[in-house]
Amino acid sequence: MGCNPTKIRLSVANVSQPNDVKQKSESSNEFNEQHSLVAVSNVSIDLSPIDNNAFSTIVCQQRQKAIDNMTYRTAIDTWRPSSIEELISSIQELSAHENQIDRAWIIFYWISQNISYNTDAFFSNQIETQNAHTIFQSGKAVCEGYSSLYTELCNRSGIQCRNVSGYGKGFGFDVRQTNFDKTNHAWNIITLNNGHSYFIESTWGSGHVDHLTHQYKKQLVPHYFLCRPEHMIYKHLPIDDECQLLAHPITMKQYLMLPYIYPAFFTFDLHIISPVHSAKVDLIKDKSYGLVLIQTSNNNIELSGYLEDEAGNKIQGGHFIYLDKKDQTLWRCQFAPPKPGKYNIIIFAGEKNHQDQCFSAAAVQFAFDVDHLPSSPISYPHIWSYFFDYNIEIIKPMNSHYIDWSSNINTPYCEIQVRSSDDVRISAVMKDSSTSTNVKNGTLVNFDHEADVWQCLFAPSTIGIPFELTLFAKRQNENESHPVTQFVLQPIPSNALKECMIFPEIYLPFYNMRCHLIEPLNGVLQSDSTVHFRCRIPGAQEINITVDDNWIEGDAWKPDENNIFDGDIQVGQKEVAIYVKFNDENSSYQGLLKYTTS
């Protein structure tokens, strides 16, 4: 029997377990409505274990203690056995005064560090004898060899162990397939002196094969040591039903219905709410996207993901993953294909640390096959987790990763509108995708008090290239802004923009006080001209103006009842700067914005 290794995708975090034999935030009403539209399988699959007492508190503690025992690892790493007999002697000596779980782990760990997956044999389909002695001498094996060696070491060390053969969802497995031609994998069941039986998967617990290079990479995966039956069954179906260790063994049809699960899914204790018992996701009725609902065990768990096409290319703007507003442990994962076709959904999970960082690993994968779209395609902007922390709501554009350019060639900027909490301040950056440099004075973020929205304007510096438009947010008591969402402005045709412009240089008080510059928006004023200036500055007592570094004569400007400053400015030869004094006692003038001249 040949064996197939774990494959790793383009992202290191997205690792699929090895098969080892080669085959030949919305309103509750909207949430309830969309939840009810999700396709739910009408097939009931019971994955309850046959032995409810196998994983007692004591067993779980002993298992984790063995895994975490660095003394074991340090000692094992120094072993250089010349024979299986010498290896068994070392195993027995190291675990002489320990329980059988420690001994089983020592064997598991030694194999993970000393046996490599035989990729040459697997990919050439020239698999030699996989008995324990051959594998020990060569240091290479496919799944049958891993299983045989684990059995030999256990049985000769006083642990009852048997080989299990069956069907594994590993390298070469397609979630769309409807059957297996033959068995393709091997693993183990051990029975301890406590009378309970447990799964051992030493092949997938030792490493994986890189999906692109087909090279084997060692990686210890403790999940596969004493793996629970209700977890193991997602990617392992034994020939013998009794070897499922389930109260109600499942069929091949049911096995293939189960989603493609990674160890992180169980590590983070995730639960799929929808689709239930299905490896496939369908479009929501009359919508252009599919929906996956996943419940987490606590609100420190964070999900992410993406949509990829059949060739493995990530779909830009194809995913939107966020927490439900009412249930802070329910994640809503939306995926929008750009056109009909076959797609894969990959969802990641991670847990935030004390620095609020999250390191994610692949958790679950679904097939998403779309025959037709019932309405126009939609897409989503890129979202960071801060988007939800700051309670950001996108007003414009809706359901689009891309910004539409105005049909009016005299409008040299585009617009994004968002809403936030009152204590949040929004800023923006525009990046030239061809040079990865920020466009100087390419953004202006106004706060429209009547509409209660942030009006984010972007003026491209040239035509014919795409730009990244990123919004940042922070609370008033925070020193640092964080990225919240990102859109793409696609290349502008030459006939769609008459002339490029820049905005005036904006200083921090403009954002902090949620100002609204009404006119002029162009940051370059014609020298020796007269311009009309209008700007709403909440909390301002007065403004004063310098022209070519000289204060203009006369009294400072006062606001009207709407906090709007309105008047004419005589432009000089170099620059015009606006300074503001707020109502704070003993306050001095602060820079608000500055224009240059041409």
Side-chain angles (χ1 to χ4, degrees):
M1 182 192 306
C3 298
N4 176 11
T6 307
K7 75 175 179 181
I8 185 167
R9 291 183 166 272
L10 295 179
S11 169
V12 173
N14 187 10
V15 177
S16 56
Q17 280 65 16
N19 243 19
D20 287 327
V21 179
K22 184 178 183 181
Q23 288 189 42
K24 314 243 168 167
S25 269
E26 302 183 14
S27 69
S28 59
N29 287 340
E30 182 176 355
F31 163 73
N32 290 332
E33 175 190 357
Q34 293 186 2
H35 189 178
S36 66
L37 294 175
V38 178
V40 178
S41 170
N42 58 6
V43 178
S44 176
I45 302 178
D46 185 356
L47 302 183
S48 301
I50 194 170
D51 183 358
N52 289 319
N53 299 316
F55 287 88
S56 64
T57 301
I58 293 177
V59 166
C60 291
Q61 290 174 345
Q62 290 176 339
R63 173 186 180 275
Q64 195 59 50
K65 184 179 179 180
I67 291 171
D68 295 338
N69 191 324
M70 293 298 108
T71 301
Y72 286 161
R73 301 191 189 193
T74 301
I76 294 168
D77 290 342
T78 65
W79 292 354
R80 299 293 183 270
S82 59
S83 65
I84 284 186
E85 289 70 24
E86 184 180 343
L87 174 58
I88 292 171
S89 177
S90 297
I91 292 169
Q92 291 174 330
E93 181 179 348
L94 184 59
S95 60
H97 304 291
E98 307 297 341
N99 58 65
Q100 286 192 311
I101 291 178
D102 286 70
R103 182 166 293 184
W105 168 255
I106 290 169
I107 297 171
F108 187 94
Y109 180 78
W110 185 89
I111 289 177
S112 74
Q113 303 303 299
N114 291 274
I115 305 299
S116 296
Y117 195 84
N118 195 336
T119 53
D120 292 338
F122 173 70
F123 288 110
S124 67
N125 199 26
Q126 296 180 349
I127 299 171
E128 299 177 349
T129 302
Q130 294 292 294
N131 64 61
H133 288 270
T134 301
I135 299 308
F136 175 84
Q137 293 298 331
S138 68
K140 291 186 176 183
V142 292
C143 65
E144 186 181 7
Y146 279 91
S147 175
S148 297
L149 181 57
Y150 196 89
T151 298
E152 178 83 2
L153 295 176
C154 279
N155 286 337
R156 294 180 62 180
S157 299
I159 299 175
Q160 183 182 339
C161 182
R162 54 178 161 151
N163 296 337
V164 179
S165 63
Y167 310 94
K169 297 179 182 177
F171 201 97
F173 175 75
D174 183 353
V175 294
R176 297 169 177 83
Q177 72 186 57
T178 58
N179 212 331
F180 286 85
D181 294 335
K182 57 185 176 181
T183 58
N184 68 341
H185 195 42
W187 55 98
N188 298 99
I189 291 177
I190 61 173
T191 301
L192 303 181
N193 53 16
N194 63 8
H196 301 293
S197 296
Y198 304 90
F199 284 116
I200 298 290
E201 165 59 285
S202 59
T203 311
W204 293 7
S206 298
H208 59 265
V209 172
D210 188 284
H211 178 63
L212 296 178
T213 66
H214 289 185
Q215 296 299 306
Y216 179 72
K217 296 185 177 180
K218 286 184 179 295
Q219 181 183 15
L220 179 64
V221 186
H223 169 77
Y224 290 112
F225 174 69
L226 304 192
C227 188
R228 292 176 179 267
E230 63 270 30
H231 297 173
M232 193 76 168
I233 194 61
Y234 276 87
K235 295 172 83 170
H236 298 75
L237 183 69
I239 295 176
D240 186 348
D241 286 354
E242 291 184 0
C243 291
Q244 294 183 28
L245 302 186
L246 296 178
H248 306 282
I250 66 173
T251 64
M252 173 65 77
K253 181 179 179 180
Q254 292 172 320
Y255 175 61
L256 292 172
M257 287 174 60
L258 296 176
Y260 193 87
I261 298 293
Y262 298 86
F265 184 89
F266 303 111
T267 300
F268 295 113
D269 194 21
L270 305 183
H271 301 276
I272 298 172
I273 306 301
S274 182
V276 177
H277 296 149
S278 176
K280 299 179 181 179
V281 172
D282 295 320
L283 290 174
I284 297 294
K285 184 179 179 182
D286 299 326
K287 303 290 184 179
S288 293
Y289 63 89
L291 177 64
V292 177
L293 300 177
I294 295 181
Q295 196 96 40
T296 61
S297 56
N298 65 74
N299 55 17
N300 282 330
I301 305 301
E302 190 168 288
L303 301 190
S304 59
Y306 60 80
L307 181 68
E308 66 177 19
D309 63 20
E310 199 171 12
N313 302 308
K314 292 183 181 179
I315 303 301
Q316 192 174 42
H319 66 275
F320 186 37
I321 299 175
Y322 58 103
L323 275 171
D324 177 63
K325 285 186 176 180
K326 298 194 72 174
D327 185 347
Q328 291 295 294
T329 63
L330 181 65
W331 285 83
R332 305 185 71 232
C333 311
Q334 296 179 194
F335 299 91
K339 60 183 179 180
K342 292 184 177 181
Y343 298 90
N344 293 314
I345 290 170
I346 299 94
I347 296 175
F348 294 77
E351 187 167 13
K352 290 183 179 179
N353 59 22
H354 296 300
Q355 287 76 41
D356 211 27
Q357 297 172 319
C358 185
F359 300 94
S360 297
V364 60
Q365 179 175 332
F366 297 91
F368 187 23
D369 297 342
V370 180
D371 295 329
H372 73 284
L373 293 174
S375 56
S376 298
I378 63 173
S379 59
Y380 304 108
H382 180 77
I383 297 294
W384 283 270
S385 61
Y386 292 106
F387 181 92
F388 309 103
D389 296 340
Y390 292 119
N391 198 27
I392 306 297
E393 178 186 0
I394 297 171
I395 307 301
K396 175 186 178 182
M398 292 294 292
N399 294 326
S400 180
H401 179 70
Y402 303 99
I403 304 299
D404 292 328
W405 188 253
S406 172
S407 58
N408 184 352
I409 64 172
N410 293 314
T411 303
Y413 56 82
C414 61
E415 181 179 356
I416 297 171
Q417 291 184 5
V418 298
R419 187 171 284 127
S420 70
S421 304
D422 289 343
D423 64 335
V424 171
R425 299 296 179 260
I426 301 295
S427 58
V429 167
M430 184 179 200
K431 179 179 287 186
D432 182 330
S433 295
S434 65
T435 61
S436 294
T437 56
N438 294 339
V439 178
K440 185 177 180 180
N441 298 337
T443 63
L444 172 65
V445 179
N446 280 324
F447 186 79
D448 186 330
H449 290 260
E450 282 72 27
D452 192 32
V453 299
W454 292 92
Q455 179 192 50
C456 310
L457 308 181
F458 299 85
S461 54
T462 186
I463 60 174
I465 61 172
F467 291 86
E468 293 179 358
L469 315 181
T470 306
L471 302 190
F472 294 79
K474 76 177 190 70
R475 290 189 172 86
Q476 286 182 283
N477 60 353
E478 295 177 334
N479 295 322
E480 183 181 0
S481 292
H482 302 283
V484 290
T485 184
Q486 185 179 86
F487 297 81
V488 172
L489 174 61
Q490 293 181 310
I492 304 167
S494 58
N495 60 354
L497 178 60
K498 185 176 181 180
E499 186 177 1
C500 295
M501 65 166 275
I502 61 171
F503 294 110
E505 187 171 351
I506 305 297
Y507 299 109
L508 194 58
F510 187 91
Y511 298 115
N512 287 342
M513 301 309 295
R514 302 200 296 179
C515 298
H516 184 182
L517 178 61
I518 302 169
E519 60 175 326
L521 296 181
N522 196 324
V524 181
L525 306 177
Q526 184 177 345
S527 58
D528 298 323
S529 65
T530 300
V531 297
H532 191 70
F533 177 81
R534 292 181 71 224
C535 185
R536 187 171 193 166
I537 313 173
Q541 178 181 343
E542 61 185 36
I543 66 169
N544 218 326
I545 302 167
T546 63
V547 176
D548 297 344
D549 296 325
N550 298 311
W551 294 101
I552 62 172
E553 297 180 1
D555 296 333
W557 292 17
K558 302 294 182 179
D560 66 14
E561 65 276 9
N562 295 315
N563 295 311
I564 294 178
F565 291 83
D566 191 327
D568 292 332
I569 301 174
Q570 182 63 44
V571 181
Q573 297 296 315
K574 295 190 303 180
E575 64 182 33
V576 173
I578 311 298
Y579 293 85
V580 60
K581 180 183 289 188
F582 293 101
N583 293 330
D584 310 274
E585 292 185 10
N586 303 319
S587 66
S588 57
Y589 281 110
Q590 301 178 54
L592 190 73
L593 48 84
K594 183 169 68 175
Y595 295 88
T596 60
T597 65
S598 63

